[in-house]
Coordinates of all heavy atoms in Angstrom, one line a residue:
M57 N 13.2 -9.9 7.6 CA 12.8 -9.2 6.3 C 11.4 -9.7 5.8 O 10.6 -8.9 5.4 CB 13.9 -9.5 5.3 CG 13.6 -8.8 4.0 SD 14.9 -9.0 2.7 CE 14.7 -10.8 2.3
M116 N 11.5 -1.3 7.2 CA 12.1 -2.3 6.3 C 13.5 -1.8 5.9 O 14.4 -2.6 5.7 CB 11.2 -2.6 5.1 CG 9.9 -3.3 5.5 SD 8.7 -3.3 4.2 CE 9.4 -4.6 3.1
A117 N 13.6 -0.5 5.6 CA 14.9 0.1 5.3 C 15.9 -0.1 6.4 O 17.1 -0.4 6.2 CB 14.8 1.5 4.8
Y118 N 15.4 0.2 7.6 CA 16.3 0.0 8.8 C 16.7 -1.4 9.0 O 17.8 -1.7 9.4 CB 15.5 0.5 10.1 CG 16.2 0.3 11.4 CD1 17.4 1.0 11.7 CD2 15.8 -0.6 12.3 CE1 18.1 0.8 12.9 CE2 16.4 -0.8 13.5 CZ 17.6 -0.1 13.8 OH 18.2 -0.3 15.0
D119 N 15.8 -2.4 8.7 CA 16.1 -3.8 8.8 C 17.2 -4.1 7.8 O 18.1 -4.9 8.2 CB 14.9 -4.6 8.5 CG 15.2 -6.1 8.3 OD1 15.5 -6.8 9.3 OD2 15.1 -6.6 7.2
R120 N 17.1 -3.6 6.6 CA 18.2 -3.9 5.6 C 19.5 -3.3 6.0 O 20.6 -3.8 5.8 CB 17.8 -3.4 4.2 CG 16.6 -4.1 3.6 CD 17.0 -5.6 3.3 NE 16.8 -6.4 4.5 CZ 17.4 -7.5 4.8 NH1 18.3 -8.0 3.9 NH2 17.1 -8.2 5.8
Y121 N 19.4 -2.1 6.7 CA 20.7 -1.4 7.2 C 21.4 -2.3 8.2 O 22.6 -2.5 8.1 CB 20.3 -0.1 7.7 CG 21.3 0.4 8.7 CD1 22.6 0.9 8.3 CD2 21.1 0.5 10.1 CE1 23.5 1.3 9.2 CE2 22.0 0.9 11.0 CZ 23.2 1.3 10.6 OH 24.2 1.8 11.5
L122 N 20.6 -2.9 9.2 CA 21.2 -3.7 10.2 C 21.8 -5.0 9.6 O 22.9 -5.5 9.9 CB 20.2 -4.0 11.3 CG 19.7 -2.9 12.2 CD1 18.7 -3.4 13.2 CD2 20.9 -2.3 12.9
A123 N 21.0 -5.6 8.6 CA 21.5 -6.8 8.0 C 22.8 -6.7 7.2 O 23.6 -7.6 7.2 CB 20.4 -7.4 7.1
I124 N 22.9 -5.5 6.5 CA 24.1 -5.4 5.7 C 25.3 -4.7 6.4 O 26.4 -5.1 6.2 CB 23.7 -4.5 4.4 CG1 22.7 -5.3 3.6 CG2 24.9 -4.2 3.6 CD1 22.1 -4.6 2.4
C125 N 25.0 -3.7 7.2 CA 26.0 -3.0 7.9 C 26.5 -3.6 9.2 O 27.6 -3.4 9.6 CB 25.6 -1.5 8.1 SG 25.1 -0.6 6.6
H126 N 25.6 -4.4 9.8 CA 26.0 -5.0 11.1 C 25.5 -6.5 11.1 O 24.7 -6.9 11.9 CB 25.3 -4.3 12.3 CG 25.6 -2.9 12.4 ND1 26.8 -2.4 12.9 CD2 25.0 -1.7 12.0 CE1 26.9 -1.1 12.9 NE2 25.7 -0.7 12.3
P127 N 26.1 -7.3 10.2 CA 25.6 -8.7 10.0 C 25.8 -9.5 11.2 O 25.0 -10.4 11.5 CB 26.4 -9.1 8.8 CG 27.6 -8.3 8.8 CD 27.2 -6.9 9.3
L128 N 26.9 -9.3 12.0 CA 27.2 -10.2 13.1 C 26.2 -9.9 14.3 O 25.8 -10.8 15.0 CB 28.6 -10.0 13.6 CG 29.7 -10.4 12.5 CD1 31.1 -10.1 13.1 CD2 29.6 -11.8 12.1
R129 N 25.8 -8.6 14.4 CA 24.9 -8.3 15.5 C 23.4 -8.3 15.1 O 22.6 -8.1 15.9 CB 25.3 -6.9 16.0 CG 26.7 -6.7 16.5 CD 27.0 -5.3 16.9 NE 26.0 -4.7 17.8 CZ 25.9 -3.4 18.1 NH1 26.6 -2.5 17.5 NH2 25.0 -3.0 19.0
Y130 N 23.2 -8.6 13.8 CA 21.8 -8.5 13.3 C 20.9 -9.5 14.0 O 19.8 -9.1 14.3 CB 21.9 -8.8 11.8 CG 20.5 -8.8 11.1 CD1 19.8 -7.7 11.0 CD2 20.0 -10.0 10.6 CE1 18.5 -7.7 10.3 CE2 18.8 -10.1 10.0 CZ 18.0 -8.9 9.9 OH 16.8 -8.9 9.2
P131 N 21.3 -10.8 14.2 CA 20.3 -11.7 14.9 C 19.9 -11.2 16.3 O 18.8 -11.5 16.7 CB 21.1 -13.0 14.9 CG 22.1 -12.9 13.8 CD 22.5 -11.5 13.8
L133 N 20.1 -7.8 17.3 CA 19.4 -6.5 17.3 C 18.0 -6.6 16.7 O 17.1 -5.9 17.1 CB 20.2 -5.5 16.4 CG 21.6 -5.1 16.9 CD1 22.3 -4.3 15.9 CD2 21.4 -4.3 18.2
M134 N 17.8 -7.5 15.7 CA 16.5 -7.7 15.1 C 15.9 -9.1 15.4 O 15.7 -9.9 14.6 CB 16.7 -7.5 13.6 CG 15.3 -7.3 12.8 SD 14.4 -5.9 13.4 CE 15.4 -4.6 12.7
S215 N 19.2 5.2 5.9 CA 19.5 3.8 5.9 C 20.2 3.4 4.6 O 21.2 2.7 4.7 CB 18.3 3.0 6.2 OG 17.7 3.3 7.4
Y216 N 19.7 3.8 3.5 CA 20.2 3.4 2.2 C 21.5 4.1 1.9 O 22.4 3.6 1.2 CB 19.2 3.6 1.1 CG 18.3 2.5 1.0 CD1 17.0 2.5 1.4 CD2 18.7 1.3 0.4 CE1 16.1 1.4 1.3 CE2 17.9 0.2 0.3 CZ 16.6 0.3 0.8 OH 15.7 -0.8 0.7
T217 N 21.8 5.3 2.4 CA 23.1 5.9 2.3 C 24.1 5.2 3.0 O 25.2 4.9 2.4 CB 23.0 7.4 2.8 OG1 22.0 8.1 2.1 CG2 24.4 8.1 2.6
L218 N 23.8 4.7 4.2 CA 24.8 3.9 4.9 C 25.0 2.5 4.3 O 26.1 2.0 4.3 CB 24.3 3.7 6.4 CG 24.3 5.0 7.2 CD1 23.6 4.7 8.6 CD2 25.6 5.6 7.4
I219 N 23.9 2.0 3.7 CA 24.0 0.7 3.0 C 24.9 0.8 1.8 O 25.8 0.0 1.5 CB 22.6 0.2 2.6 CG1 21.8 -0.2 3.8 CG2 22.7 -0.9 1.6 CD1 20.4 -0.6 3.5
V220 N 24.8 1.9 1.0 CA 25.6 2.1 -0.2 C 27.1 2.2 0.2 O 27.9 1.7 -0.5 CB 25.1 3.4 -0.9 CG1 26.1 3.7 -2.0 CG2 23.7 3.1 -1.6
F221 N 27.4 3.0 1.3 CA 28.7 3.1 1.7 C 29.3 1.8 2.1 O 30.5 1.5 1.8 CB 28.8 4.1 2.9 CG 28.7 5.6 2.5 CD1 28.2 6.5 3.4 CD2 29.0 6.0 1.2 CE1 28.0 7.8 3.0 CE2 28.8 7.3 0.8 CZ 28.3 8.2 1.7
T222 N 28.5 1.0 2.8 CA 29.0 -0.4 3.2 C 29.2 -1.3 2.0 O 30.2 -2.0 1.9 CB 28.0 -1.0 4.2 OG1 27.8 -0.1 5.3 CG2 28.5 -2.4 4.6
I223 N 28.3 -1.2 1.0 CA 28.4 -2.1 -0.1 C 29.6 -1.7 -1.0 O 30.3 -2.5 -1.5 CB 27.1 -2.0 -1.0 CG1 26.0 -2.7 -0.3 CG2 27.3 -2.6 -2.4 CD1 24.6 -2.6 -1.0
C224 N 29.9 -0.4 -1.1 CA 31.1 0.1 -1.8 C 32.4 -0.4 -1.2 O 33.4 -0.5 -2.0 CB 31.1 1.6 -1.9 SG 29.7 2.2 -3.0
R225 N 32.4 -0.7 0.1 CA 33.6 -1.2 0.7 C 33.8 -2.7 0.6 O 34.9 -3.2 1.0 CB 33.6 -0.8 2.2 CG 33.8 0.7 2.4 CD 34.2 1.0 3.8 NE 33.2 0.6 4.8 CZ 32.3 1.4 5.3 NH1 32.2 2.6 4.9 NH2 31.4 0.9 6.2
I226 N 32.8 -3.4 0.0 CA 33.0 -4.8 -0.2 C 33.9 -5.1 -1.3 O 33.8 -4.5 -2.4 CB 31.6 -5.5 -0.5 CG1 30.7 -5.3 0.7 CG2 31.8 -7.0 -0.8 CD1 29.3 -5.8 0.5
G231 N 30.1 -10.0 -4.2 CA 29.6 -9.7 -2.8 C 28.8 -8.4 -2.9 O 27.8 -8.3 -2.2
R232 N 29.3 -7.4 -3.7 CA 28.5 -6.2 -3.8 C 27.1 -6.4 -4.4 O 26.1 -5.9 -4.0 CB 29.3 -5.2 -4.6 CG 30.5 -4.6 -3.9 CD 31.0 -3.4 -4.6 NE 31.5 -3.7 -5.9 CZ 32.7 -4.0 -6.2 NH1 33.6 -4.1 -5.2 NH2 33.1 -4.3 -7.5
H233 N 27.1 -7.3 -5.5 CA 25.9 -7.6 -6.2 C 24.9 -8.3 -5.2 O 23.7 -8.0 -5.2 CB 26.1 -8.4 -7.4 CG 24.9 -8.7 -8.2 ND1 24.2 -9.9 -8.0 CD2 24.2 -8.1 -9.1 CE1 23.2 -10.0 -8.8 NE2 23.1 -8.9 -9.5
K234 N 25.4 -9.3 -4.5 CA 24.6 -10.0 -3.6 C 24.0 -9.2 -2.5 O 22.8 -9.3 -2.1 CB 25.4 -11.2 -3.0 CG 24.6 -12.1 -2.1 CD 25.4 -13.3 -1.6 CE 24.6 -14.2 -0.7 NZ 25.4 -15.3 -0.1
A235 N 24.8 -8.2 -1.9 CA 24.3 -7.4 -0.9 C 23.3 -6.4 -1.4 O 22.3 -6.2 -0.7 CB 25.5 -6.6 -0.3
F236 N 23.5 -5.9 -2.6 CA 22.5 -4.9 -3.1 C 21.2 -5.6 -3.5 O 20.1 -5.0 -3.4 CB 23.1 -4.2 -4.3 CG 22.2 -3.2 -4.9 CD1 22.0 -1.9 -4.3 CD2 21.5 -3.4 -6.1 CE1 21.2 -1.0 -4.8 CE2 20.6 -2.5 -6.6 CZ 20.5 -1.2 -6.0
S237 N 21.3 -6.9 -4.0 CA 20.1 -7.6 -4.4 C 19.1 -7.9 -3.3 O 17.9 -8.0 -3.5 CB 20.5 -8.9 -5.1 OG 21.1 -9.8 -4.2
T238 N 19.6 -7.9 -2.1 CA 18.7 -8.1 -0.9 C 17.8 -7.0 -0.6 O 16.8 -7.1 0.1 CB 19.6 -8.4 0.3 OG1 20.4 -7.3 0.7 CG2 20.5 -9.7 0.1
C239 N 18.1 -5.8 -1.1 CA 17.3 -4.6 -0.9 C 16.8 -3.9 -2.1 O 16.2 -2.9 -2.1 CB 18.0 -3.6 0.0 SG 19.6 -3.1 -0.6
A240 N 17.1 -4.5 -3.3 CA 16.7 -3.9 -4.6 C 15.2 -3.8 -4.7 O 14.7 -2.8 -5.2 CB 17.3 -4.6 -5.7
H242 N 12.9 -3.7 -2.4 CA 12.3 -2.7 -1.4 C 12.6 -1.3 -1.9 O 11.8 -0.4 -1.8 CB 12.9 -2.9 0.0 CG 12.5 -1.9 1.0 ND1 13.4 -0.9 1.3 CD2 11.4 -1.7 1.6 CE1 12.8 -0.1 2.2 NE2 11.6 -0.6 2.4
L243 N 13.8 -1.1 -2.4 CA 14.2 0.2 -2.9 C 13.3 0.6 -4.1 O 13.0 1.8 -4.3 CB 15.7 0.2 -3.3 CG 16.3 1.6 -3.7 CD1 16.1 2.6 -2.6 CD2 17.7 1.4 -4.1

Side-chain angles (χ1 to χ4, degrees):
M57 182 176 71
M116 294 169 73
Y118 176 67
D119 170 71
R120 291 298 84 206
Y121 157 72
L122 291 180
I124 295 175
C125 300
H126 303 281
L128 298 179
R129 300 174 58 194
Y130 178 68
L133 295 175
M134 195 59 71
S215 297
Y216 274 105
T217 301
L218 297 174
I219 288 173
V220 170
F221 287 154
T222 302
I223 291 177
C224 290
R225 290 198 297 265
I226 298 177
R232 290 194 297 268
H233 180 267
K234 183 177 180 181
F236 183 76
S237 63
T238 61
C239 53
H242 176 256
L243 186 58

